[in-house]
Amino acid sequence: MESFPEIISVDDHTVEPAGVWRDRLPSRYHDIGPRIVRAPLKEMTFVGGKFAPKMGAPGDDGPIADWWVYEDLHRPLTRLDTAVGCSRDDIKLEGITYEQMRPGSYSVPERLADMDVNHVRSALCFPTFPRFCGQTFTEAKDHDLGLLCLRAYNDWMVEEWCGPQAHGRLIPLTLIPLWDAELAAREVRRNAERGVRAVCFSEIPPRLGLPSIHTDDWDPFLRACDETGTVIAMHIGSSSKMPSTSADAPPAVGSTITFANCCYSMVDWLMSGKFESFPHLKIMYAEGQIGWIPYILERADVVWEENRGWGGVADKVLRPPSELFAEHVYGCFFDDAFGLRNLDAIGVGNVLYETDYPHSDSTWPKSREVGEAQMGHLPQDVVERIVRGNAIDLLGLTSDGLWAPAAS
């Protein structure tokens, strides 16, 4: 390989600074909007795909953590939120404070420095406290306040996290009010006007108590994305439940099959008819890896062809699902040697690279070395497309891989 291109990571994460909502919500909401409280951690489990922490009262025994408090929600910062810089053996399910995490998790200058160490040019970052598609605000009792919180997050994302101090190296990814597709469409258009080209969405909305994409309920949102060129980004776990097999399965089971939700979701989209209705729509699956894609496409094509009479999609899916995939769907990976050996069956143009900073699975600070080892058999122009070229085209970045806000 001549040289490994500077990486454009389409799946990193930000740990929101403590003041995001206090700084942006009206003062009357400061005591009820999202805020950080330092308190003991009584216990915390992550079994069967469910995360269950219990907050202690002041003076209780237990390790101290910083907690996000919002309505009835008490959610601690955890080592799994920000594990880079720690030995693999030291990464445990435990609560932490801001002082115990790597500053690049929440600080723009330190993030850019860590990107430099990792050969990363630019990065798209998913949220932490709002969860991967804003479930925190969707589940809130007060949706009026939830909408204010969501818009405050989007403003912080665009104006501060991806603001002037980021020098175009951080790419904005915004949230929508999932409880109202018309409001969601307005938020997509509001952010598109300032140059945002990616929005979070749930991989399997019915798991959040929301309509499926087989209905027409989401059409205002989908139309807004289609017309503005806004990519729908779905992260594993954005249905609020990681894949698992039983209520007592250890986290290792779910970690092995994290791609499963992406698999279910992609088949949903391919069989929904939405790509026929919205021909410019693009979707991407963050942290889902890519090795599973060839078989699913093969199977979907067989079902589409052979089960036309009773499959329920003949009148709305007018082309083989594999053709729709090639035009509309992107798989994202950070460590998938098998997928790269089967790239021809996926499509060079449908693959994006990521580093997953600062999570426990992250390849930081060796994302370049991992990429070189796994892509060494590929031509230089193919590596260029996977590592940066496809992301530039999809997200409307400059030729240098930078994000530029829309002109006022």
Side-chain angles (χ1 to χ4, degrees), residues 183-325:
L183 285 178
R186 288 178 216 162
E187 191 63 13
V188 166
R189 296 184 192 279
R190 181 176 84 94
N191 291 307
E193 287 177 358
R194 37 187 186 174
V196 177
R197 290 294 177 267
V199 64
C200 300
F201 192 62
S202 174
E203 60 204 352
I204 309 174
R207 290 187 179 173
L208 304 180
L210 300 169
S212 82
I213 59 163
H214 299 290
T215 70
D216 296 332
D217 295 67
W218 294 108
D219 284 7
F221 163 65
L222 300 181
R223 185 171 298 107
C225 293
D226 181 73
E227 293 175 355
T228 61
T230 299
V231 180
I232 297 175
M234 292 171 282
H235 195 284
I236 57 166
S238 56
S239 58
S240 290
K241 192 175 190 308
M242 296 297 286
S244 191
T245 55
S246 63
D248 58 351
V253 172
S255 293
T256 303
I257 56 174
T258 52
F259 69 92
N261 283 358
C262 301
C263 174
Y264 300 156
S265 176
M266 190 178 80
V267 175
D268 246 358
W269 281 88
L270 293 176
M271 298 298 189
S272 69
K274 296 306 180 186
F275 294 137
E276 304 283 358
S277 300
F278 304 103
H280 306 295
L281 203 60
K282 308 287 186 181
I283 66 173
M284 57 170 270
Y285 288 100
E287 207 172 320
Q289 311 300 343
I290 59 175
W292 53 273
I293 292 175
Y295 173 70
I296 294 301
L297 293 180
E298 178 183 281
R299 178 60 183 164
D301 279 358
V302 169
V303 169
W304 177 82
E305 181 64 38
E306 295 186 357
N307 298 344
R308 300 179 65 82
W310 59 270
V313 298
D315 60 337
K316 59 183 179 180
V317 182
L318 307 181
R319 290 186 292 153
S322 60
E323 289 186 14
L324 298 174
F325 172 88

Side-chain angles (χ1 to χ4, degrees), residues 118 162 166 187 200 342:
N118 202 31
C162 302
E187 191 63 13
C200 300
N342 293 276

Side-chain angles (χ1 to χ4, degrees), residues 115-135:
M115 290 163 62
D116 289 340
V117 169
N118 202 31
H119 198 64
V120 173
R121 177 60 164 166
S122 53
L124 183 81
C125 296
F126 284 83
T128 298
F129 170 70
R131 313 218 303 274
F132 294 145
C133 66
Q135 300 102 300

Side-chain angles (χ1 to χ4, degrees), residues 106-186:
Y106 58 85
S107 167
V108 171
E110 282 83 358
R111 173 62 64 94
L112 298 184
D114 279 354
M115 290 163 62
D116 289 340
V117 169
N118 202 31
H119 198 64
V120 173
R121 177 60 164 166
S122 53
L124 183 81
C125 296
F126 284 83
T128 298
F129 170 70
R131 313 218 303 274
F132 294 145
C133 66
Q135 300 102 300
T136 296
F137 305 126
T138 299
E139 294 168 0
K141 298 173 184 175
D142 185 344
H143 275 170
D144 290 335
L145 175 56
L147 184 59
L148 290 176
C149 290
L150 184 146
R151 287 176 172 165
Y153 174 87
N154 289 344
D155 291 344
W156 169 81
M157 167 63 63
V158 175
E159 298 166 7
E160 293 191 39
W161 184 252
C162 302
Q165 65 174 337
H167 306 293
R169 298 183 61 190
L170 294 172
I171 306 162
L173 174 63
T174 53
L175 302 172
I176 56 166
L178 291 164
W179 59 89
D180 187 318
E182 292 286 355
L183 285 178
R186 288 178 216 162

